[in-house]
Amino acid sequence: MKVAALIPAAGSGTRLGLGPKAFVQVAGRSLLGRSAAALAPHVDEVLVALPAGLTLPRDVPARAVTGGETRQASVLALLRATDADVVLVHDAARPFLPGAVAGAVIAAAREVGAATAALPVADTLVRAGPGGDWGTLTPREGLWAVQTPQGFRRDLLLAAHGAALADGFAATDDAGLIARTGGAVRLVPGDARLFKVTTPGDLALAQALAPVWDAAPV
Ligand code: CTP
Ligand code: MG
C-alpha cells in the first residue's frame, strides 16, 4: 500500500501579509520545509502544490506541482499527480505536526476511508449580530475544530472532488467534501501545536514554539 503526503502550499498568505506563506521562515526554516520534513517519515512520497512561478527550495524533500486559485483546486492538482492508495493532505501552514497524530490519521484512513485530526472546541462560541455585537450563543457541546492532516483512500477523495467540481461546491477542507457526499469521516484527536499559522499573532506563537520543538520534536 502506497501512501503519499499532499501539501497544499500555493496560498498567497494575505492575512499574514509576508508574501506566499509557505516560504515564511520560522527560526531558520520555512513553514513548508517544516511540514514536509514532519510528513516524510510517514509516507512513500511527498508532493507540494506551489504558487505559479515559484520553485521548491532545495531543503524540501518533495516533488512539486502548480497549485490552483483555491485550496480545493490545489489539492485536486495534487491528487491527480499521485497514484498512491492513501493520501495524507496537510496544510503547509501547520508546521508542528506530532508524529503520533500523522500515524493515527493514516491508520484511521485505512480503516474508515477518511479521517481528520480535530480538537474539541474549548472556547465559548457565539454568532455575531449584524452590528458585530454578541448575537446568538452556540453551544460548544459536541463541536470539534477541524485541523489537518486529513487522510483518505485516494479513490474516495478523487470522487468527492469530482462531485464538488460538478456542483460548483467549495469547502475549506477535504473531509468536508467527503462528508457532503455522505461518506464517513473519523475524527482523530489532534494537538494544540497543530494550529494553522494564519495571522501575525499565530506567527508569534510559532516563533516562540520553534526552539522548543526543534530541541525535542514530538
Ligand atoms: N492553499 C493552496 N492554494 C490556494 C490557497 C491556499 O495550496 N489557492 C494552501 C495554503 O498554502 C495553506 C493552506 O492551503 O498551506 C491553508 O490555507 P490558508 O491558511 O488560507 O493560506 P493562504 O490562503 O495562503 O492565506 P490567506 O487566506 O490569508 O491568503
Ligand atoms: Mg486562504
Side-chain angles (χ1 to χ4, degrees), residues 6 25 27 86 100 137 141 150 175 179:
L6 309 182
Q25 304 263 326
V86 169
L137 184 70
E141 172 89 51
Q150 303 189 337

Side-chain angles (χ1 to χ4, degrees), residues 39-51:
L39 287 159
H42 300 278
V43 299
D44 299 295
E45 64 171 356
V46 180
L47 270 72
V48 178
L50 292 176

Side-chain angles (χ1 to χ4, degrees), residues 81-96:
T82 180
D83 64 357
D85 306 290
V86 169
V87 296
L88 193 61
V89 183
H90 182 63
D91 293 327
R94 299 180 190 267
F96 306 110

Side-chain angles (χ1 to χ4, degrees), residues 96-193:
F96 306 110
L97 168 58
V101 176
V105 170
I106 292 172
R110 291 176 67 168
E111 187 192 330
V112 179
T116 182
L119 276 184
V121 172
D123 295 318
T124 296
L125 294 177
V126 62
R127 184 175 297 283
D133 290 339
W134 187 290
T136 342
L137 184 70
T138 303
R140 68 170 179 235
E141 172 89 51
L143 291 186
W144 292 59
V146 174
Q147 303 179 317
T148 75
Q150 303 189 337
F152 309 92
R153 289 216 313 266
R154 182 177 58 99
D155 55 349
L156 285 183
L157 189 57
L158 256 179
H161 268 265
L165 201 59
D167 301 346
F169 181 81
T172 49
D173 77 336
D174 298 283
L177 298 183
I178 298 285
R180 177 181 169 265
T181 60
V185 179
R186 169 75 48 84
L187 298 179
V188 172
D191 195 289
R193 290 163 289 193

